[in-house]
Amino acid sequence: MRAIKLHFPDQNHLTTLLNDQQFQMDINYLNPYLLDNNNIVLFDPVTQHNPLDTEIVILSKFARAIKNILFPDTQHNVEFLNPFLGQQKGGLIHDRTRVIDSTDLERLRINITANQV
C-alpha cells in the first residue's frame, strides 16, 4: 500500500474539505489520516500503481472537491502545480492560490504511532 502526504498551506482549506460529508465518503477507501491541521496522509489500496499514478489519482479526487466545495462559483479550474507528464505534480493551484503546495510520496508503509499521555 502506497502512502502520500498532502500539505495544505491554509488549514481552513483542509478543514472545510474534511467537514464535507460527501467528500469524506469519497476518500474513505484511502484511509485518510490527519497528521495535523495542515497535513493529511492517504493510502492507495491499488498496489499496481506507481508513485506518480497514486499522486494523480489522489490529487484528481482532491481537485474535484476543491473546485466543488471551496471554489464553486469561480470560472477558474484547479490545476497541478507541475503539469508535465512523467513528473511529480507537487500539489494543486486555483487561480494563483496554492491549495496543496507539496506532496510526499512513500513506497513503503508509513507507521503512525500515537503517544498516549
Side-chain angles (χ1 to χ4, degrees), residues 27-45:
I27 65 167
N28 192 44
Y29 80 98
L30 297 168
N31 296 314
Y33 182 85
L34 192 62
L35 291 175
D36 57 33
N37 292 332
N38 297 83
N39 294 284
I40 188 169
V41 175
L42 302 116
F43 300 90
D44 183 0

Side-chain angles (χ1 to χ4, degrees), residues 6-21:
L6 307 178
H7 179 263
F8 288 75
D10 182 343
Q11 69 184 30
N12 291 323
H13 288 155
L14 180 56
T15 300
T16 301
L17 290 172
L18 295 178
N19 284 336
D20 185 271
Q21 197 168 27

